[in-house]
Amino acid sequence: VQLQASGGGLVQAGGSLRVSCAASGDTFSNYFMGWFRQAPGKEREFVAAISRIGATTSYADSVKGRFTISRDNAKNTVYLQMNSLKPEDTAVYYCAADPRGWYPRMRGVDIWGQGTQVTVSS
């Protein structure tokens, strides 16, 4: 499967942004989907994950209650709605796909999109 992320941009602290990731090349509903982010000088970190039909979600503690992951299997797309954004949310956001199953924080996932930049100004 190939992944194409979009929707990043510049937003003020407290604002909202939605990033999207379109999948192609395989049956989208076969994949658990997730979002990771990488800030300058830091390692890539898990943000959120969603199960194949969207029944189960998981979030990093740092975004719980502010971010919502969702998917539309008819559109082969996964979304990350980000509310109450903070400057520390500034990062390149990557979508990921995992055909294996539900692993905590999508450990070991190796299918990645190209990333989209999210910048939150204070």
Side-chain angles (χ1 to χ4, degrees):
V1 67
Q2 291 79 49
L3 305 175
Q4 180 76 35
S6 62
L10 174 64
V11 63
Q12 288 188 334
S16 298
L17 198 64
R18 188 178 79 162
V19 292
S20 304
C21 176
S24 61
D26 201 353
T27 303
F28 182 63
S29 58
N30 286 345
Y31 293 83
F32 291 79
M33 298 298 298
W35 289 95
F36 289 70
R37 67 186 182 186
Q38 187 167 18
K42 296 188 177 181
E43 293 187 354
R44 190 174 299 188
E45 64 174 1
F46 169 79
V47 174
I50 189 166
S51 59
R52 292 187 175 110
I53 60 170
T56 303
T57 57
S58 175
Y59 297 93
D61 288 344
S62 59
V63 307
K64 203 171 292 183
R66 300 188 298 121
F67 290 12
T68 302
I69 188 171
S70 62
R71 66 188 296 163
D72 185 338
N73 286 350
K75 295 183 178 180
N76 294 344
T77 302
V78 61
Y79 306 96
L80 185 68
Q81 176 68 43
M82 303 180 286
N83 299 329
S84 302
L85 282 160
K86 305 174 181 180
E88 51 263 44
D89 295 317
T90 296
V92 177
Y93 283 72
Y94 298 89
C95 56
D98 196 342
R100 302 172 298 164
W102 188 255
Y103 285 76
R105 306 173 73 84
M106 298 187 76
R107 184 181 66 250
V109 64
D110 61 1
I111 300 173
W112 300 94
Q114 90 288 2
T116 185
Q117 176 71 47
V118 172
T119 303
V120 184
S121 62
S122 57

